[in-house]
Amino acid sequence: MGTGFDSSNVLSEAAPSVHLPVLAQELIAGLGIQPGGRYLDATVGGGGHSELILAAFPDVRLVVIDRDGEALEGVAARLGPQNAARVEFWQGNYADFSAPSLYFDGIIADLGISSLQLDRPERGFSFQAAGPLDMRMDSTQSLTAAEIVNSWPERELADLIYEYGEERFSRRIARRIVENRPWQSTTELAEAIRYALPPKSRYGKIHPATRTFQALRIAVNDELGSLERFLAQATTWLAIGGKLGVISFHSLEDRRVKQHFRSAPQLAVLTKKPLIATAEEQAHNPRARSAKLRFAQKC
């Protein structure tokens, strides 16, 4: 269940500018923002896309959603008191959102994990620095990555890592995890995963633990199930002619978005191939390298 979010205590703070929204130019252009339009940022994260939507016209109105209360506090500060009357905050899973009677002229969802979450070791999303095996986007939920790696049976772990991480060494990794648990920190687990792989696969451009950590994060937050439920409802929230734009960061997400856009009877696909970041943006923002943007319009 989601809740309204009281932003009054942070709207007067200085707006931070550390978050770099991916594919921002392409997203805003594809959305075709109109004066007086009503828009939904279903995964607001650091608020970069929301800031650009509000900047388009002074009478645009916006609803923003995030499961992470800390993220909403940061966005409220970023957007500032001058936008307080134009923005409604909603904390919860975007798949559980109850749309108001007024339809949206555009909906966006950036499915990537926020850099603000990645950069905080205590959230447990990254193994760049030691942190607890948490990975919860909503810190009030009970399931954590620690519970999965320390209590799930080996076969279930292997299946999870293979399905959600697309990791071909999933059984070796699951065996190493089970044989050496309990696990306490992200860095400890990441190094164990490295040495579960054959020697020639331990060092490369991508850390060997990347896919396993992706799988754990997806499972902890039910990301694919939430995406499917969101896509099934989002069309009903759109006005006729309204556009839905989704940015995904791995094939499991992009495949679901593509299939839904093609099969939904009320949607017309606007991007036959996904939009990707320019070489310049990829060089400036490495997170953009795997981003894919697809658009559809309600007929």
Side-chain angles (χ1 to χ4, degrees):
M1 293 294 292
T3 62
F5 176 82
D6 182 7
S7 62
S8 59
N9 61 330
V10 289
L11 276 169
S12 60
E13 298 177 7
S17 56
V18 295
H19 175 70
L20 294 175
V22 301
L23 292 166
Q25 182 177 347
E26 294 82 356
L27 184 68
I28 297 302
L31 205 55
I33 302 170
Q34 300 296 317
R38 183 179 176 87
Y39 296 88
L40 170 66
D41 188 340
T43 52
V44 70
H49 293 125
S50 285
E51 188 174 46
L52 293 171
I53 291 172
L54 290 172
F57 297 100
D59 55 352
V60 163
R61 297 184 66 84
L62 182 67
V63 176
V64 302
I65 300 173
D66 208 282
R67 299 168 74 170
D68 189 338
E70 292 183 359
L72 288 177
E73 290 179 1
V75 171
R78 177 173 188 156
L79 299 182
Q82 69 274 17
N83 289 309
R86 298 203 285 153
V87 184
E88 178 183 342
F89 295 83
W90 195 87
Q91 183 176 354
N93 188 326
Y94 66 159
D96 297 328
F97 178 61
S98 297
S101 57
L102 294 174
Y103 293 111
F104 294 104
D105 298 294
I107 299 173
I108 63 170
D110 178 349
L111 304 179
I113 184 171
S114 169
S115 57
L116 302 177
Q117 293 170 327
L118 282 172
D119 293 342
R120 297 187 59 184
E122 66 269 23
R123 300 299 299 272
F125 287 104
S126 172
F127 45 77
Q128 299 303 315
L133 288 164
D134 194 318
M135 301 193 191
R136 293 173 296 173
M137 292 181 180
D138 178 357
S139 59
T140 66
Q141 76 173 46
S142 59
L143 181 64
T144 66
E147 180 177 339
I148 294 176
V149 298
N150 288 326
S151 65
W152 281 27
E154 181 179 328
R155 182 170 181 175
E156 289 184 24
L157 266 178
D159 290 345
L160 168 68
I161 296 167
Y162 180 78
E163 181 180 355
Y164 289 170
E166 300 180 298
E167 172 59 75
R168 64 192 180 104
F169 296 114
S170 61
R171 305 220 170 274
R172 296 174 65 127
I173 293 170
R175 189 178 311 119
R176 174 63 67 96
I177 289 174
V178 170
E179 288 175 350
N180 294 277
R181 59 192 186 190
W183 300 97
Q184 303 294 333
S185 77
T186 54
T187 50
E188 176 189 39
L189 179 63
E191 282 306 291
I193 293 170
R194 182 197 296 276
Y195 289 100
L197 272 58
K200 65 179 181 180
S201 300
R202 293 174 185 171
Y203 301 94
K205 292 182 179 180
I206 300 176
H207 192 289
T210 300
R211 295 183 181 89
T212 299
F213 269 61
Q214 172 184 295
L216 291 170
R217 193 199 75 222
I218 289 173
V220 167
N221 299 288
D222 187 27
E223 292 180 25
L224 297 179
S226 295
L227 174 60
E228 291 174 352
R229 288 188 288 130
F230 165 74
L231 291 171
Q233 300 176 85
T235 305
T236 66
W237 303 339
L238 281 170
I240 300 299
K243 297 177 181 178
L244 172 60
V246 181
I247 299 175
S248 61
F249 287 83
H250 53 76
S251 60
L252 296 173
E253 294 171 338
D254 182 59
R255 191 178 306 129
R256 284 163 171 78
V257 175
K258 179 175 67 174
Q259 291 173 348
H260 178 78
F261 281 8
R262 288 180 175 178
S263 62
Q266 285 188 290
L267 290 180
V269 176
L270 299 180
T271 47
K272 292 184 179 180
K273 292 184 177 181
L275 303 177
I276 61 174
T278 63
E280 181 181 2
E281 181 180 0
Q282 292 183 39
H284 185 59
N285 183 8
R287 288 187 64 246
R289 293 172 185 167
S290 57
K292 293 182 178 180
L293 169 60
R294 294 183 185 272
F295 267 107
Q297 186 172 30
K298 186 171 181 178
C299 304

